[in-house]
Amino acid sequence: MSINDRGLKKWQGFFMPEHVAQIKEMWLDDQKIKMPIWDEEQIAEFEQLIRYAKDYNLYVDLSIYNDGFERKITCSVKALDPLKKEIKVVTADGMENIQFDKILNVTVID
């Protein structure tokens, strides 16, 4: 006589949809990163790299803080706005304004 085991299917009935949603939310919260606090030297280095890329029309790889997650884009810098503290970049999806305090890392592509 063989036993027909359903594996983990039989245990899924014990989780209510609210519990599954909470577990997914907890897992998502565990994956989030905290926004680092940069010192003045690091901010100056980011500004220098961005200005260099703008002056010589080079592409940059930007890592951007986006609601607890890191988003990476490759773009070209079109303008710097020191009053609003943002940069205007052109990506594959079009023009985008990025707040300077949301930048995690800048790499110039030569």
Side-chain angles (χ1 to χ4, degrees):
M1 172 184 244
S2 69
I3 298 174
N4 188 6
D5 187 20
R6 296 179 295 170
L8 291 177
K9 279 185 178 180
K10 61 184 175 185
W11 297 106
Q12 289 180 353
F14 291 116
F15 291 110
M16 295 179 70
E18 296 85 14
H19 293 150
V20 173
Q22 279 184 326
I23 290 171
K24 285 181 182 178
E25 186 177 328
M26 285 175 44
W27 180 81
L28 194 62
D29 286 342
D30 284 344
Q31 300 299 316
K32 289 186 177 182
I33 60 172
K34 291 185 179 181
M35 180 66 187
I37 299 172
W38 301 116
D39 60 350
E40 292 299 319
E41 289 179 24
Q42 187 68 41
I43 292 171
E45 182 181 339
F46 286 167
E47 285 181 17
Q48 182 181 10
L49 288 170
I50 290 169
R51 286 185 196 278
Y52 176 78
K54 180 184 176 289
D55 291 343
Y56 292 101
N57 292 324
L58 299 173
Y59 282 93
V60 292
D61 281 332
L62 292 177
S63 297
I64 303 166
Y65 182 81
N66 187 11
D67 198 26
F69 295 99
E70 180 180 4
R71 187 181 91 169
K72 294 185 181 217
I73 60 171
T74 300
C75 58
S76 63
V77 180
K78 289 300 170 198
L80 295 159
D81 190 351
L83 296 176
K84 291 182 182 177
K85 294 186 179 181
E86 67 182 17
I87 60 173
K88 295 182 184 194
V89 298
V90 176
T91 64
D93 298 328
M95 187 77 84
E96 189 174 339
N97 294 338
I98 299 171
Q99 294 293 323
F100 199 79
D101 60 347
K102 299 291 184 186
I103 295 175
L104 297 175
N105 193 18
V106 177
T107 305
V108 177
I109 302 171
D110 288 328

